[in-house]
Amino acid sequence: MAFVITVAQQKGGAGKSTLAANLAVALGESGGRVALLDTDPQGTLARWQALRGADAAPLAFEAPAGWRVQGALDRHRREADFVVIDTPPHAETESRLAIRAANLVLVPLQPSLPDLWASEATLSLAEAERRDHRLVLNRMPPTGKLRDVILGELARRGAPVLEERLGNRSAFAAAFALGMGVTESEPRGMAASEMRALAAALRGFTP
């Protein structure tokens, strides 16, 4: 039975799709069977998948919508080791189903107060569904006042934040534009190292 990771954040532009795609590729790097589901009507991951070349790492992909989401989840959960789900940037049916089905809800958080405030609704939904959840800091600068403000506020709240962080690196966007993950396009780069560290941390949540 697969371990299901749902990537959710009600604020658009938080990097959900980029995170989901890169995480799926990184989780499959060690040979595990990974399925990537795009339940966002924008279809960002479907377009990314269409760019992937024949020599790219194998990755089961599906873009179910509406009542088909549950059936796709059930099928891939039986066939894969990991299922990564990208969700719409709002609390529609697809998001709720994906969060309800998750073993872990991953909430990308950029270093800004609007992003932090927007994450509250997603965290509340995960708590209401009694799903384990973690914030992952995304597009983080190495230093800066805003960075310190966000880290301080998260500490004050006792928020469930992963230690592994993703920097504000152009390699993520460059890889995405090629239908690749950073571990494929720049395997020795800093972005790839960060993504591998995140994938390793998430493997630690599996039974």
Side-chain angles (χ1 to χ4, degrees):
M1 186 68 71
F3 187 83
V4 180
I5 300 172
T6 294
V7 182
Q9 167 61 287
Q10 293 202 28
K11 184 178 184 301
K16 280 190 308 84
S17 298
T18 301
L19 174 59
N22 276 279
L23 184 57
V25 172
L27 286 169
E29 196 175 36
S30 60
R33 298 168 300 169
V34 180
L36 179 60
L37 304 187
D38 183 4
T39 67
D40 188 343
Q42 293 183 44
T44 301
L45 285 184
R47 302 186 78 166
W48 171 83
Q49 171 67 16
L51 294 172
R52 285 180 72 73
D55 57 344
L59 190 66
F61 179 82
E62 191 168 346
W67 61 270
R68 294 184 178 87
V69 172
Q70 189 61 57
L73 277 169
D74 291 342
R75 184 170 61 260
H76 288 289
R77 192 157 35 190
R78 291 192 300 268
E79 298 171 352
D81 298 307
F82 289 94
V83 176
V84 179
I85 310 172
D86 187 24
T87 58
H90 41 68
E92 297 297 338
T93 301
E94 287 85 353
S95 293
R96 290 181 177 274
L97 283 173
I99 287 175
R100 188 172 300 157
N103 297 105
L104 179 67
V105 179
L106 200 60
V107 184
L109 176 64
Q110 296 183 106
S112 79
L113 287 174
D115 283 75
L116 178 57
W117 297 332
S119 71
E120 294 169 354
T122 305
L123 295 175
S124 294
L125 181 55
E127 290 169 358
E129 295 292 343
R130 298 182 180 179
R131 299 293 91 188
D132 197 1
H133 53 280
R134 295 292 187 280
L135 289 158
V136 56
L137 295 167
N138 189 31
R139 298 172 181 160
M140 282 290 286
T143 59
K145 185 174 181 179
L146 182 55
R147 173 185 181 277
D148 295 340
V149 168
I150 297 301
L151 290 176
E153 180 62 17
L154 290 171
R156 186 188 69 79
R157 297 182 180 202
V161 185
L162 290 171
E163 292 184 7
E164 293 73 20
R165 303 170 184 173
L166 303 177
N168 189 17
R169 305 187 188 283
S170 61
F172 288 107
F176 200 88
L178 298 172
M180 303 174 76
V182 289
T183 55
E184 296 172 311
S185 63
E186 297 184 28
R188 297 183 181 180
M190 284 298 298
S193 295
E194 291 171 348
M195 188 54 63
R196 288 192 185 103
L198 177 60
L202 297 182
R203 288 190 192 97
F205 284 83
T206 60

